Amino acid sequence: MFLHKGPALTDSLLDAPCAGIKSLLNNFALGWCNKVEVIKHLLFNLSLLLVLLFFYLIWLERIREMPKWITLASFLLSIILCFLFSYQPIPHVSYDLRLIPVLIGGIYFGIGPLLPIIVIIIRAFYGIDIGFFTNLTIYGSLPLLFLKFHPWFISQHPKKRITLSVFFAISLSFITVLLLPLVNWASLDFETLFAYLFVPSLGAFIFSYSVEISLKNIRLYNRVIDTERTIALEKMGAAIAHEIRNPLTTAMGFVQLLQETEVDKTKSKQYLYGKARIGCCRVNY
């Protein structure tokens, strides 16, 4: 009897721990999948922004000087796409990358005072709630900051500009994460913190690096154009000097020859007048 009931007793003793472990693993997997949703939506936001940036930089390299209104419209479209494809797991909390177009447009292209105001206005259409006031706290001070910071930023070395872009992205992301508990305590955990610090900083690096490459290509193109223009002017100046110098040298030679030899004055004047006319015609030609 003992041998017959032993395995059943052993199985019943093992069922409870196994069920607990399975439940724990399922809960962990479900929680991790929910957090991966944040990363997935942020990466989708980033891919949309990169597509728009790609076309914008191609256009910028073609015309080499983008009008301000086109730049503003491009970054406005980026912000609108971030709002449209934001991830909202809980009320009043939306995860997106709106800070990247605001940051890059403000420090690189000088349209920073407008972009934060546009973000606040668009957020107001989603409701005047605690999320709106959090957004107002983050972006309300950026217009003045970008207005003062942009001239100094552009004068820095490209590598330093990239570093500063990533630093500001991390800072804004960190401030955003710190303000999340004011909206909902459930929105703050390690996975969300990691996603919202890593993806925006990665996006800021890709954006700033891409912009720096395009600006470098534009500078090189302008330098080549200036060099070719200088060479063309030098060649034209040398040709003009050559055309002027040749008849003058000939005329001076004949003047010296006439002064050294005894020639009738009337014939001498006629000869010099004829040579002068030939030289003037040659220069005009």
Side-chain angles (χ1 to χ4, degrees):
M1 183 182 294
F2 178 76
L3 292 176
H4 177 71
K5 292 185 178 181
L9 181 61
T10 305
D11 292 341
S12 63
L13 292 174
L14 292 176
D15 285 342
C18 289
I21 293 174
K22 288 180 180 179
S23 177
L24 181 63
L25 291 176
N26 289 333
N27 292 334
F28 176 78
L30 181 61
W32 177 250
C33 289
N34 291 332
K35 302 311 175 186
V36 169
E37 285 293 317
V38 178
I39 300 177
K40 183 178 73 174
H41 282 82
L42 289 180
L43 290 177
F44 180 69
N45 255 211
L46 181 59
S47 64
L48 292 176
L49 295 178
L50 289 177
V51 170
L52 289 177
L53 178 68
F54 175 75
F55 288 107
Y56 176 81
L57 293 180
I58 289 178
W59 196 2
L60 178 63
E61 291 188 13
R62 276 181 169 272
I63 64 177
R64 298 186 297 282
E65 190 174 353
M66 188 73 73
K68 284 286 186 180
W69 70 270
I70 296 180
T71 301
L72 180 61
S74 301
F75 281 89
L76 175 60
L77 179 59
S78 300
I79 293 172
I80 292 174
L81 286 177
C82 288
F83 273 100
L84 291 177
F85 293 96
S86 61
Y87 176 56
Q88 191 173 6
I90 53 179
H92 311 305
V93 177
S94 298
Y95 297 103
D96 56 59
L97 297 180
R98 72 190 75 164
L99 67 89
I100 292 181
V102 172
L103 178 64
I104 299 300
I107 61 179
Y108 270 101
F109 299 100
I111 54 176
L114 293 175
L115 294 179
I117 297 174
I118 291 173
V119 168
I120 295 172
I121 294 173
I122 295 176
R123 180 58 182 84
F125 284 101
Y126 285 82
I128 307 298
D129 48 24
I130 186 62
F132 169 78
F133 289 106
T134 304
N135 197 82
L136 181 63
T137 303
I138 297 171
Y139 293 94
S141 60
L142 292 182
L144 182 61
L145 176 63
F146 287 153
L147 187 64
K148 299 293 184 182
F149 183 71
H150 169 68
W152 177 83
F153 178 83
I154 291 298
S155 64
Q156 301 304 306
H157 190 270
K159 290 184 179 179
K160 188 174 182 179
R161 289 200 293 258
I162 294 175
T163 304
L164 289 172
S165 301
V166 176
F167 172 76
F168 277 108
I170 294 175
S171 301
L172 289 175
S173 300
F174 188 71
I175 294 173
T176 303
V177 169
L178 288 180
L179 293 177
L180 281 178
L182 298 177
V183 182
N184 195 312
W185 274 102
S187 61
L188 184 62
D189 50 37
F190 176 76
E191 290 82 7
T192 303
L193 180 65
F194 172 77
Y196 217 73
L197 290 179
F198 173 73
V199 180
S201 59
L202 175 65
F205 172 77
I206 296 174
F207 264 64
S208 57
Y209 188 79
S210 302
V211 171
E212 290 293 344
I213 291 177
S214 295
L215 294 178
K216 182 180 179 181
N217 292 337
I218 293 172
R219 287 194 297 268
L220 290 176
Y221 182 83
N222 291 335
R223 191 176 302 171
V224 170
I225 293 297
D226 292 339
T227 303
E228 292 179 351
R229 188 176 300 161
T230 303
I231 293 173
L233 290 175
E234 289 176 353
K235 290 182 178 180
M236 185 173 65
I240 293 173
H242 176 75
E243 293 297 330
I244 294 175
R245 186 172 59 249
N246 281 352
L248 290 178
T249 303
T250 304
M252 291 175 60
F254 278 108
V255 168
Q256 292 176 358
L257 180 63
L258 291 174
Q259 288 177 350
E260 293 175 357
T261 57
E262 296 181 357
V263 183
D264 184 54
K265 291 184 178 181
T266 304
K267 291 183 178 181
S268 175
K269 289 181 180 180
Q270 291 176 354
Y271 187 75
L272 289 175
Y273 179 72
K275 287 296 180 182
R277 288 185 62 186
I278 294 173
C280 290
C281 292
R282 185 174 180 182
V283 171
N284 291 333
Y285 176 74

